[in-house]
Every structure is written in structure tokens, then in C-alpha cells.
Amino acid sequence: MNAHARLTAPPLVLRSPLATIGDIAATLALPGPALPSLRRVVALLGEIGLTDAGIALVEGHRLRGLAGRAADAPALPMTPRLETFLARGEAGVLRNERSPTIGAPIRLGGALIGLLAARVPGPVVRGDELTALALVANLLGAAVKTARDGSASCAEGSVGGKRIIGESPALRAALDHARRVAPTSLPVLLRGESGVGKELVAQLIHDHSPRAARAFVKVNCAALPEPLLEAELFGHERGAFTGADKRRKGRFEQARGGTLLLDEIGEVSPAFQSKLLRVLQSGEFERVGGERTLRVDVRVIAATASDLEAAVRAKKFRADLYYRLCAAPVRLPALRERREDIPALAEHFLARFNAENGRALALNPRAKTMIGRCAYPGNIRELENCLRNAAALTTGEEICESDFACRQGRCFSAQLRRARLALRRKESFGERVVRTKT
């Protein structure tokens, strides 16, 4: 037992630690990839009050996040204090705060391979909390090694094969908010401009929730006309319409026990909104062409770039559906609000381009400066497309300023900004003319 921990003996008020540890052992024994099992372990720890849990790999003199909260953090250098903590080989207090963080080393065959950490609910660390964390850490060795070996060739592996990149305060605040709502059962509304990474954050919320071991299903509501969207979400019976030659489960049924992402929710028609509201309120629906009422337990995450408040005022979006979806809103910052993340994002996208195309390109200093000045109305998606386009057209080993579309008069975003500015000036001039005449 760590001599530095302050120990008391009140019993846990949440679920029995032994029952949860049994579930964790059963989860780790299941066949299949190791990483989803580790995410499920992180979610199960929350059931005994050990929240914000994370599993990190020890790689030489640094820690790399693997699952849970640690998965979204950048690799951290191994400090002398942390090395001393891990060398002791036992669970203890990592940080003494209002909600202290405790940790336990993860070993396999006597070798240190990782760290399990979590926050405790109260200001005082209890002995049973340290014991529970140590027991779980002792179970993780093989799974952590399997996950490490399986992701060694994947530079993006943290959320569904992709990594959320950035250390800006705006991004950190958004991700912290997302992680706080993840363990709840509340519907989540992701707000943000197009291209900011709403789908990736939805996956993060699912991975940090108790539903992490179940399905994560995605639907773009703007991609389908209403009749097809209804069949896509609710399924259909055989003969429900032309071409329906067999029964088909909808996305709600496919996501049973898991999470359903409804992207572009602001594009759904008012008539269809009432059907969605019924499912959110009662979990009940009928397949298209069916009469039997089905029930599902699904957590809904909705995402939109639209101004839903304005749509509610204009009676284009139901107020009751808005309030139902907005139980846990999370706003994602635009790229222009987190410019300090642009260099890391650019290096990431360029490394991926190089790996896909057998190149070894790099950005020269002036190009790095230039890409940091753009407004990027299309956000991260636009930055990636901009870099890939420049990389494809460059003839040297370095990408220069002249390789970018904006230096060749081919930047659609720049043209769009100029058109919008001209329109605003025209509207402003028209308003002045009207005021002068009156």
C-alpha cells in the first residue's frame, strides 16, 4: 500500500468493486480486438466511482495514451517523479487535487508496459479504491500488449482508427466537456461548423461511455430524402415499398444497446421530427410498412452546423425536439479559434499523404507560416484538402508557398469569402440608400 495515500475505510456507495472487477475479467477474456475491451474496462471503472480513467503505454521515456482519457492526450515525457512512482510497483496517488488522481503500473511477466490512472470521487483516497485499481491493473497486461502490438503500425490509433490532434485550450475544453457527459445516458448535441470533427468527437463520447462495447452507428440525415431516411432509421417490412423484397432492420435496431449518431439533424423535415421525438421519448417505433411496435435502448448523439435556435424561432424545427436533443450540448471550436493546432494537424496530414504515396515531402518554413494565416471556413477538412492538393502538385522535396491553390488563384474558399464580402457590402449600401430616401 502507498504510504503517501490518506486512507479511510467507508464502504463504496456505488456498485460492488468485486462484481465490477469480475465483469472486467470477463470482458478481457472475450475474443476479438483488445482495444475495444480496454475501452470497456475504462467505462466499467466509472461504475465504482473511478472516473476519467485512462490507460497509457510506457514507450521508453514517454507515455502514450491507449484508451480512455489518455487516448486523446499527446504523448508525455516521463518525468523523474513519474519514473519513481512506477518503479515502486504499487498503486498510489499520482496527483493530490480536489478529486485526486490515483494510478497503478501495468506489468506483463515482470516488465513494466503501462499505467492505469483514474480520479476518485472524494477529496480523500480510500484504501479500497487503491486496491480495486491495482487489481484491475494486474488484469490488463496481456490486453495492453496485444493492443500495443496491433496499433504499432497505426499512427492514428486512438478513436476509431483516428486521433484527435491538438493541445489548444479551446479544443481541450471541448474534449473535457465531451468526456464529462460521456458516462451519462443523456442525448448529446454536438454543435460546430462543418469540418470541425463532430463525428470523431461522437465516437470519443461512445468510447468513453458504458456502451463502448456495443455498436456505434452513424447516419447522415441530409444525405437521404425523407421516405428513404425513415426506412433507413426505422427499417422496413417485406413489401413495404417497391424493391423491399425482404425485412430490413433500421439503424435504431442496429444500434440497440449502443449509440446512434444523427449527423446534420438540422436538415430533417418538421414532419419527420415528430417521429424522432417519439423514439427519443419512449424508445418506441414501427418499421415502415409494419404494425408491431418495437422498443430499443439507444443513446442518441445529434450533430449539426445549423443555427437550431433560429430554426426553432422560424418554426422549422420543433422546440420540444430541440430541448430533448439539447440535454447535453457540446460546442466544438472552429479551426480559426485554435490556430496553435494547425502545425500539428498539417504535419499529421502530410505524414499520412507521404505514407499513402511513397513520398517524403516536408513543408518549408514560409509555407508553414502561410498555412497558419488562413481562415479555413471549411475547418480541418479544408486544411487537409489544401495540403493534399499542394503535396500532389509539388515537384520538389519541399512544399513551397507557390504550390498552394491560394497562390495560384484556385482557392475556392478565398473566392467564396470575396463573394460573401461583396454581398455584405452591397446589402449595406442598399440599406444606406433606403435610409437616405426615407
Side-chain angles (χ1 to χ4, degrees):
M1 188 69 62
N2 184 2
H4 298 286
R6 293 170 291 162
L7 306 179
T8 59
L12 283 172
V13 297
L14 300 173
R15 192 183 179 207
S16 164
L18 290 179
T20 298
I21 292 170
D23 287 350
I24 287 172
T27 297
L28 295 171
L30 292 173
L35 199 52
S37 295
L38 294 176
R39 292 171 181 153
R40 175 62 176 157
V41 168
V42 168
L44 285 169
L45 285 171
E47 295 184 2
I48 56 174
L50 300 179
T51 59
D52 285 342
I55 300 171
L57 287 167
V58 174
E59 295 182 332
H61 294 286
R62 69 171 191 165
L63 283 175
R64 178 169 69 84
L66 183 63
R69 179 166 188 158
D72 310 308
L76 297 175
M78 190 80 74
T79 64
R81 182 174 177 274
L82 190 54
E83 288 180 343
T84 301
F85 176 88
L86 292 171
R88 285 202 302 266
E90 59 187 21
V93 178
L94 285 172
R95 284 196 301 271
N96 256 320
E97 303 167 323
R98 180 173 297 177
S99 295
T101 300
I102 61 175
I106 301 171
R107 295 183 176 274
L108 183 66
L112 176 68
I113 63 169
L115 171 68
L116 173 64
R119 288 184 184 272
V120 299
V124 178
V125 178
R126 301 197 306 264
D128 56 355
E129 292 167 336
L130 291 172
T131 301
L133 196 75
L135 290 172
V136 173
N138 288 339
L139 297 172
L140 295 179
V144 168
K145 180 181 183 299
T146 302
R148 178 194 66 189
D149 296 344
S151 64
S153 61
C154 180
E156 306 168 304
S158 66
V159 180
K162 295 184 180 180
R163 192 175 79 219
I164 298 177
I165 295 172
E167 302 179 43
S168 63
L171 179 64
R172 292 291 104 194
L175 294 181
D176 284 345
H177 191 181
R179 278 189 290 262
R180 285 197 298 273
V181 303
T184 72
S185 59
L186 294 174
V188 178
L189 180 62
L190 297 177
R191 313 292 297 267
E193 298 176 5
S194 177
V196 296
K198 294 188 285 293
E199 183 178 317
L200 204 55
V201 174
Q203 177 77 62
L204 179 147
I205 292 171
H206 171 73
D207 290 345
H208 284 71
S209 76
R211 301 172 182 262
R214 299 296 184 93
F216 175 68
V217 179
K218 299 169 282 188
V219 178
N220 188 325
C221 298
L224 297 169
E226 185 175 316
L228 292 181
L229 180 60
E230 183 175 1
E232 185 72 15
L233 288 176
F234 302 141
H236 60 75
E237 298 290 348
R238 180 181 178 183
F241 49 82
T242 303
D245 55 353
K246 61 180 178 180
R247 173 187 290 173
R248 181 179 180 275
K249 290 184 178 181
R251 297 302 180 94
F252 272 99
E253 287 184 84
Q254 294 172 25
R256 187 184 298 274
T259 305
L260 176 63
L261 170 63
L262 299 177
D263 201 2
E264 303 292 351
I265 191 66
E267 304 304 314
V268 175
S269 71
F272 192 66
Q273 290 168 24
S274 60
K275 299 177 182 179
L276 278 180
L277 180 62
R278 180 193 174 204
V279 183
L280 289 174
Q281 288 177 331
S282 65
E284 295 182 347
F285 66 93
E286 291 81 35
R287 296 192 188 107
V288 176
E291 298 179 355
R292 185 164 64 96
T293 298
L294 305 174
R295 288 187 61 85
V296 290
D297 171 26
V298 172
R299 186 192 197 171
V300 170
I301 299 178
T304 184
S306 304
D307 185 347
L308 290 187
E309 291 78 13
V312 170
R313 290 193 295 271
K315 300 189 182 304
K316 295 180 179 179
F317 199 88
R318 291 180 62 117
D320 45 6
L321 178 59
Y322 168 79
Y323 291 121
R324 175 69 64 170
L325 291 172
C326 208
V330 177
R331 180 187 175 276
L332 304 182
L335 188 55
R336 62 183 174 276
E337 300 172 34
R338 41 177 292 219
R339 290 185 181 276
E340 55 266 61
D341 293 333
I342 291 177
L345 286 163
E347 292 296 331
H348 169 74
F349 293 138
L350 187 56
R352 188 159 69 185
F353 177 89
N354 286 337
E356 292 171 355
N357 296 277
R359 305 287 297 275
L361 298 173
L363 287 164
N364 73 12
R366 295 184 67 180
K368 289 181 180 178
T369 301
M370 187 200 73
I371 63 173
R373 293 197 297 258
C374 182
Y376 296 110
N379 293 292
I380 300 170
R381 188 180 298 122
E382 182 182 353
L383 171 62
E384 180 179 11
N385 291 340
C386 179
L387 278 166
R388 293 178 72 88
N389 179 267
L393 296 179
T394 188
T395 56
E397 293 301 313
E398 283 192 331
I399 300 176
C400 307
E401 286 178 287
S402 58
D403 293 318
F404 285 89
C406 57
R407 289 294 186 264
Q408 301 173 19
R410 297 185 295 105
C411 180
F412 176 74
S413 292
Q415 297 172 18
L416 185 61
R417 285 196 300 273
R418 286 194 291 269
R420 286 175 175 170
L421 182 60
L423 179 61
R424 284 197 294 267
R425 287 173 175 169
K426 183 177 180 180
E427 291 173 346
S428 177
F429 176 75
E431 290 173 359
R432 289 199 300 271
V433 170
V434 170
R435 286 198 297 270
T436 301
K437 289 181 178 180
T438 56

